[in-house]
């Protein structure tokens, strides 16, 4: 028997007490299933192995889902104290495999397994108490504490799946099977695949705001498309069908592979799918907890690049146009199934942990002539993920979707055997880099031509706040004032020379979309650009890779202007020494240390704990190093509680200003060298602007 799963709760209801009980049961079911998966690891050393060089060790993922709750609850001001600051910093942000280079974990001081176990118990107790005590109006809205509880539960279910993929790469000796995680034992010869016709029609995609289940931001909105008729393979591509490609020299024939695929192939030197093992001329398959002779009638598990190469090989064999399905084409098949997770009595496919802790034969779950429309393995598509019309980022998780809207992350659909909760819902949308390994396979489509019925990736940034920052950073200035970021960089350059500063490492905190980091990078061996918002730093990364950033600004009413910028436009020839990272300025990871210069741009007034930030930032500076603070000291209760403000308050009847608070915190360890002011102008429309006068101060560490 597999691990029993509760279904994701409905947002609606009439009884708050009953809904609290339902939320608590779902939270505990998610939590305990995750614990059950990690209990398969039978020795602590295995938590620190890296069987996949592009991912963190499993100790990160064990702690990550718990720290996620604390970080989101802190951000939403549902709690005001952390449990373990060090652990919550190091386990905060994962990786997206932005390259094929090994992830550098040299500076990670991982916690012990027992420390994480104890921490998880503390977090679980906190969440249960929050659920018991919270005010719960119904239906649950996106600004509700209950929404954050659901967000955490669904996030943990995502990592239930991704962690199981990494465990599948560990030596079997590091894992101990149990009755809740049993593989399918049936295998045999695969059925002969054929293509079946699917009628074309007009379609509307997107989750409605009135939907009764939790959703991630990229699921909402609407897209309409006129879908032509197509033919899709009856079965997922089996190990047997893919074996023909392998034996035909598919991995050794560059013409079958895309340019990206050829680069990946050259790097990995792959000769077969990742979970196949060859021993003495015999193929075997590695499952989560066992290895078995290659089950020919199970679905093959590959990344997008391998699936695409197979389609190109098959096209060469048949003379037909063969490719992966698009997202709308998958939905055309998904519509054959008239139930969803919340209302099925049993899963219409090998999913939701209802059958096995592995894949199973491809001819077991049939609907309308097609098999495995959902479940068994995720299905790669030709569709890069992008937002639907009406997309709005959730303010407490702004980096869930937006970093993937880059044309480099392709959607996977249908879920796998371990997909639960939101992952198993029809409207779910998940995407990964094309070289990413997941419990994922594919089916193929035969089409009339090469045209793809996909929703094109919108390469223009249109979020109002992000566009205003891009315009401010990379525009020419306004109202007669110089570009603020350029002026700040010039002032810093002057001070670096005047005070004979060392120029090995720079930390640019609150780097936003990156202009100051770029301007100062030629002076330093290494620059860390850190910002809390992934929506900002993704544009710095994009520029750094040589790509253009396109964005729009409001001219007047519904009229917008379109802009394009690149580093070459700015006269910046190289910025390889910058590492852009998402980070919490009040709880920085230990790796951010040993700086000759730290610049903090509008961080004081934008972080939830300005006093703690000052301790964090100053502790990262070398002796005789410089600290540059840029602030307007406009603290407010929506960001930080008043007792954490540095100024703008009365103490014993006397006025205390922001710079007074800075002086109080820095006086013992830092010497004030200079202070000045610089105006910053941010255009909201062509004729409307936000103007602020930033106070800039420079300090030297007395050590």
């Amino acid at each position: 028997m597999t691990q029993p799963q509760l279904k994701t709760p409905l947002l609606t209801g009439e009884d708050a007490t009953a809904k609290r009980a339902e939320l608590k049961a779902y939270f505990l079911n998610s939590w305990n299933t995750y614990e059950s998966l990690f209990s398969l690891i039978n020795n602590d050393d295995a938590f620190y192995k890296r069987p996949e060089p592009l991912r963190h060790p499993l100790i990160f993922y064990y702690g990550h889902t718990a720290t996620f709750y604390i970080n989101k609850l802190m951000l939403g001001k549902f709690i005001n104290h952390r449990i373990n600051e060090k652990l919550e910093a190091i386990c905060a942000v994962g990786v997206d495999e932005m390259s094929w280079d090994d992830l550098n974990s040299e500076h990670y001081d991982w916690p012990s397994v027992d420390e994480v176990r104890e921490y998880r118990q503390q977090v679980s107790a906190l969440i249960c108490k929050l659920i018991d005590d919270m005010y719960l109006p119904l239906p649950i809205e996106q600004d509700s504490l209950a929404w954050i509880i659901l967000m955490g539960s669904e996030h943990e279910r995502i990592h239930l799946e991704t962690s199981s993929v990494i465990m599948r790469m560990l030596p079997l000796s590091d894992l101990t099977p149990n009755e809740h995680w049993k593989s399918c034992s049936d295998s045999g010869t695969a059925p002969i695949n054929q293509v079946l016709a699917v009628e074309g029609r007009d379609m509307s995609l997107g989750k409605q705001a009135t939907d009764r289940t939790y959703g991630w931001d990229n699921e909402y909105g609407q897209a309409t498309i006129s879908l032509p008729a197509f033919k899709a393979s009856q079965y997922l591509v089996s190990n047997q069908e893919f074996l023909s490609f392998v034996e035909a020299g598919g991995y050794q024939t560059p013409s079958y592979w895309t340019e990206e695929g050829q680069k990946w192939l050259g790097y990995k030197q792959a000769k077969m799918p990742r979970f196949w093992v060859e021993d003495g001329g015999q193929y075997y398959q590695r499952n989560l907890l066992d290895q078995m002779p290659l089950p020919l009638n199970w679905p093959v598990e590959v990344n997008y690049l391998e699936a695409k190469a197979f389609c190109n090989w098959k096209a060469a064999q048949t003379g037909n146009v063969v490719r992966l399905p698009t997202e709308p084409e998958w939905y055309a098949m998904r519509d054959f199934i008239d139930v969803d997770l919340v209302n099925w009595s049993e899963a219409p496919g090998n999913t939701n942990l209802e059958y096995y802790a592995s894949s199973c034969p491809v001819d077991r779950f049939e609907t309308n002539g097609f098999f495995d429309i959902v479940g068994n393995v995720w299905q790669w598509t030709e569709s890069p993920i992008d937002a639907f019309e009406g997309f709005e980022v959730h303010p407490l998780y702004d980096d869930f979707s937006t970093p993937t809207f880059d044309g480099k992350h392709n959607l996977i659909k249908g879920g796998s055997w371990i997909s639960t909760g939101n992952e198993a819902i029809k409207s779910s949308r998940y995407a990964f880099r094309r070289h990413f390994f997941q419990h994922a396979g594919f089916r193929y489509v035969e089409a009339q031509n090469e045209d793809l019925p996909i929703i094109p990736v919108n390469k223009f940034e249109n979020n109002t706040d992000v566009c205003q920052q891009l315009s401010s950073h990379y525009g020419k200035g306004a109202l007669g004032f110089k570009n603020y970021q350029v002026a700040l960089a010039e002032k810093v350059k002057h001070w670096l020379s005047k005070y004979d500063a060392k120029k090995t490492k720079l930390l640019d905190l609150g780097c936003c979309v990156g202009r100051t980091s770029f301007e100062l990078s030629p002076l330093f061996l290494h620059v860390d650009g850190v910002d809390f918002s992934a929506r900002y730093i993704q544009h710095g990364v994009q520029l750094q890779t040589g790509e253009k950033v396109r964005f729009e600004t409001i001219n007047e009413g519904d009229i917008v202007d379109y802009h394009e910028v690149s580093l070459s436009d700015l006269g910046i020839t190289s910025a390889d020494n910058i590492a852009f990272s998402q980070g919490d300025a009040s709880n920085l990871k230990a790796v951010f240390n040993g700086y000759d210069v730290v610049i903090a741009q509008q961080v004081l007034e934008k972080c939830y704990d300005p006093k703690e930030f000052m301790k964090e930032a100053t502790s990262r500076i070398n002796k005789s190093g410089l600290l540059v603070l840029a602030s307007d000291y406009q603290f407010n209760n929506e960001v930080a509680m008043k007792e954490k403000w540095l100024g703008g308050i009365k103490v014993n009847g006397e006025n205390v200003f922001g710079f007074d608070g800075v002086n109080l915190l820095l006086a013992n360890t830092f010497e004030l060298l200079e202070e000045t002011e610089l105006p910053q102008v941010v255009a909201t429309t062509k004729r409307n602007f936000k103007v602020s006068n930033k106070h800039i101060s420079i300090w030297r560490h007395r050590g």
Side-chain angles (χ1 to χ4, degrees):
M1 115 182 198
T2 54
Q3 193 75 16
Q5 296 304 300
L6 297 180
K7 295 175 179 178
T8 187
L10 297 180
L11 304 176
T12 53
E14 302 295 331
D15 186 339
T17 301
K19 186 59 64 175
R20 276 193 207 92
E22 184 183 8
L23 286 170
K24 188 173 183 179
Y26 188 67
F27 161 72
L28 290 172
N29 183 245
S30 306
W31 191 272
N32 292 334
T33 303
Y34 202 66
E35 287 286 345
S36 176
L37 178 71
F38 277 84
S39 73
L40 300 175
I41 303 175
N42 59 29
N43 67 93
D44 286 0
D45 288 344
F47 278 86
Y48 302 93
K49 292 180 179 179
R50 292 178 58 213
E52 172 51 75
L54 300 177
R55 308 298 286 176
H56 286 310
L58 283 161
I59 190 66
F60 167 85
Y61 298 99
Y62 190 38
H64 173 61
T65 58
T67 65
F68 180 90
Y69 280 103
I70 301 303
N71 288 328
K72 298 309 176 190
L73 290 168
M74 287 287 292
L75 184 60
K77 296 182 174 50
F78 296 109
I79 60 174
N80 55 26
H81 291 96
R82 293 188 171 276
I83 292 176
N84 184 325
E85 292 184 356
K86 178 182 175 184
L87 197 150
E88 286 155 6
I90 201 168
C91 291
V93 181
V95 291
D96 179 47
E97 295 197 69
M98 296 309 291
S99 75
W100 304 318
D101 300 324
D102 286 358
L103 176 68
N104 183 0
S105 62
E106 177 183 350
H107 300 292
Y108 286 96
D109 181 18
W110 298 114
S112 70
V113 178
D114 284 341
E115 183 181 359
V116 177
R117 289 187 180 118
E118 180 182 357
Y119 176 77
R120 285 183 60 84
Q121 290 174 0
Q122 292 173 302
V123 173
S124 178
L126 172 65
I127 302 302
C128 287
K129 187 175 190 318
L130 286 173
I131 295 172
D132 290 341
D133 296 344
M134 70 181 173
Y135 172 62
L136 183 59
L138 296 172
I140 297 170
E141 303 288 350
Q142 293 202 20
D143 59 355
S144 164
L145 171 57
W147 187 273
I148 304 307
I149 303 298
L150 283 171
M151 178 185 286
S153 295
E154 298 298 352
H155 172 262
E156 189 152 51
R157 289 176 180 273
I158 293 172
H159 283 289
L160 176 71
E161 181 143 4
T162 55
S163 297
S164 70
V165 175
I166 299 173
M167 286 185 194
R168 200 173 169 186
M169 300 175 184
L170 283 174
L172 284 171
S173 59
D174 288 329
L175 302 166
T176 300
N178 70 39
E179 63 179 5
H180 294 303
W181 299 93
K182 287 187 176 180
S183 298
C184 177
S185 59
D186 299 336
S187 65
T189 303
I192 302 301
N193 218 343
Q194 58 181 329
V195 293
L196 304 179
V198 181
E199 293 182 0
R201 59 186 174 89
D202 292 336
M203 302 182 69
S204 179
L205 306 182
K207 189 181 184 85
Q208 301 299 309
T210 55
D211 195 282
R212 299 183 302 157
T213 57
Y214 174 89
W216 298 108
D217 53 11
N218 71 67
E219 297 167 13
Y220 292 97
Q222 189 175 41
T224 57
I225 189 168
S226 182
L227 181 68
F230 64 98
K231 295 179 180 179
S233 63
Q234 183 178 20
Y235 305 102
L236 297 175
V237 172
S238 65
N239 282 323
Q240 181 173 317
E241 191 171 8
F242 198 84
L243 180 61
S244 298
F245 169 70
V246 174
E247 292 179 335
Y251 281 83
Q252 292 77 40
T253 309
S255 61
Y256 298 143
W257 297 77
T258 63
E259 181 180 354
E260 182 182 358
Q262 291 177 33
K263 291 179 180 178
W264 173 81
L265 201 58
Y267 174 76
K268 296 294 288 186
Q269 296 296 305
K271 298 179 180 178
M272 67 187 79
R274 175 66 175 80
F275 297 112
W276 287 15
V277 178
E278 186 178 15
D279 186 8
Q282 175 72 36
Y283 287 110
Y284 297 85
Q285 176 165 300
R286 168 63 191 271
N287 300 319
L288 177 61
L289 295 170
D290 61 69
Q291 185 169 292
M292 64 190 297
L294 187 66
L296 296 176
N297 59 342
W298 288 21
V300 71
E301 294 171 78
V302 292
N303 63 26
Y304 168 92
L305 303 172
E306 294 168 294
K308 185 66 175 174
F310 173 92
C311 290
N312 291 338
W313 168 77
K314 190 168 185 66
Q317 308 305 306
T318 63
N320 299 321
V321 174
V322 180
R323 57 167 172 79
L324 299 171
T326 63
E327 183 181 25
E329 287 169 338
W330 179 82
Y331 271 113
M333 291 183 283
R334 178 61 177 83
D335 284 345
F336 295 145
I337 300 175
D338 59 4
V339 292
D340 207 352
L341 172 71
V342 294
N343 58 17
W344 69 45
S345 57
E346 60 180 23
N350 180 21
T351 193
N352 198 41
L353 284 172
E354 291 190 29
Y355 299 97
Y356 310 106
S358 74
S359 300
C360 70
V362 298
D363 56 358
R364 184 150 301 182
F365 296 94
E366 182 267 342
T367 305
N368 208 44
F370 289 97
F371 289 78
D372 292 329
I373 293 174
V374 299
N376 230 355
V377 292
W378 288 94
Q379 301 172 45
W380 283 105
T381 74
E382 292 283 8
S383 298
I385 189 173
D386 196 20
F388 292 138
E389 185 70 29
F391 166 82
E392 293 183 4
V393 68
H394 194 285
L396 298 189
Y397 200 176
D398 73 342
D399 59 332
F400 181 79
S401 300
T402 53
T404 67
F405 297 162
D406 59 1
K408 299 176 182 178
H409 291 71
N410 277 47
L411 283 157
I412 55 175
K413 306 297 292 186
S416 75
W417 53 270
I418 198 174
S419 298
T420 63
N422 173 270
E423 287 188 312
I425 290 178
K426 179 179 178 180
S427 59
S428 69
R429 301 181 84 221
Y430 294 89
F432 292 101
R433 295 273 290 186
R434 291 185 276 266
H435 61 283
F436 188 92
F437 284 112
Q438 186 65 337
H439 305 301
F442 66 104
R443 63 176 4 104
Y444 51 84
V445 160
E446 285 188 4
Q448 297 297 317
N449 52 56
E450 298 283 356
D451 294 339
L452 294 177
I454 64 175
I455 303 160
V457 174
N458 175 15
K459 293 185 179 293
F460 274 92
E461 174 66 67
N462 57 14
N463 175 272
T464 300
D465 180 57
V466 177
C467 290
Q468 287 177 3
Q469 293 301 322
L470 285 166
S471 178
S472 174
H473 276 238
Y474 298 105
K476 296 180 179 180
L479 300 181
F481 294 111
K482 191 171 186 176
N483 178 300
Y484 167 76
Q485 301 295 332
V486 174
L488 176 62
E490 289 177 350
K491 177 59 67 175
V492 172
K493 290 176 184 178
H494 168 71
W495 281 337
L496 293 177
S497 175
K498 181 176 180 179
Y499 296 107
D500 195 25
K502 292 183 179 179
K503 304 183 186 69
T504 302
K505 286 182 68 178
L506 166 70
L507 174 61
D508 182 10
L509 275 172
C511 67
C512 196
V513 293
R515 181 66 181 269
T516 307
S517 294
F518 287 126
E519 292 291 333
L520 295 175
S521 64
L523 300 180
F524 289 84
L525 294 179
H526 178 79
V527 176
D528 281 311
V530 177
D531 199 278
F532 190 80
S533 174
R535 292 215 74 175
Y536 290 150
I537 62 173
Q538 65 173 322
H539 295 293
V541 173
Q542 188 172 338
L543 287 167
Q544 187 182 33
T545 58
E547 297 185 28
K548 295 180 181 293
V549 167
R550 300 178 174 91
F551 62 98
E552 60 185 48
T553 55
I554 299 173
N555 184 315
E556 184 179 311
D558 294 333
I559 303 171
V560 297
D561 296 323
Y562 296 97
H563 309 270
E564 182 177 275
V565 66
S566 67
L567 290 188
S568 60
D569 296 334
L570 306 174
I572 298 173
T573 57
S574 177
D576 294 339
N577 61 331
I578 304 176
F580 287 106
S581 305
Q582 184 190 23
D584 181 349
S586 297
N587 193 30
L588 287 170
K589 290 183 178 180
V591 67
F592 297 114
N593 211 341
Y595 294 100
D596 302 308
V597 182
V598 171
I599 302 174
Q601 301 192 55
Q602 289 79 63
V603 178
L604 287 175
E605 61 270 34
K606 291 184 179 179
C607 66
Y608 57 85
D609 194 339
K611 294 180 180 178
E612 186 61 32
F613 158 70
M614 291 296 289
K615 296 178 185 177
E616 284 279 334
T618 55
S619 69
R620 311 306 173 106
I621 301 175
N622 296 332
K623 292 180 179 179
S624 300
L626 300 180
L627 170 66
V628 178
L629 294 176
S631 179
D632 56 19
Y633 308 114
Q634 292 300 303
F635 303 103
N636 69 81
N637 280 318
E638 292 183 1
V639 177
M641 295 181 294
K642 185 167 287 188
E643 57 263 31
K644 297 184 183 296
W645 292 11
L646 299 184
I649 54 177
K650 287 182 177 290
V651 177
N652 298 325
E654 300 296 329
N655 295 333
V656 176
F657 297 96
F659 193 56
D660 298 331
V662 171
N663 262 306
L664 186 64
L665 290 173
L666 292 182
N668 290 333
T669 53
F670 281 80
E671 172 193 3
L672 176 62
L673 299 177
E674 287 190 47
E675 53 183 310
T676 188
E677 293 183 345
L678 287 176
Q680 182 183 37
V681 180
V682 178
T684 55
T685 70
K686 184 177 181 179
R687 302 184 185 281
N688 290 274
F689 305 87
K690 294 184 292 186
V691 181
S692 59
N693 206 28
K694 306 298 183 187
H695 180 247
I696 318 295
S697 59
I698 181 170
W699 307 74
R700 181 161 52 200
H701 197 293
R702 294 183 187 273

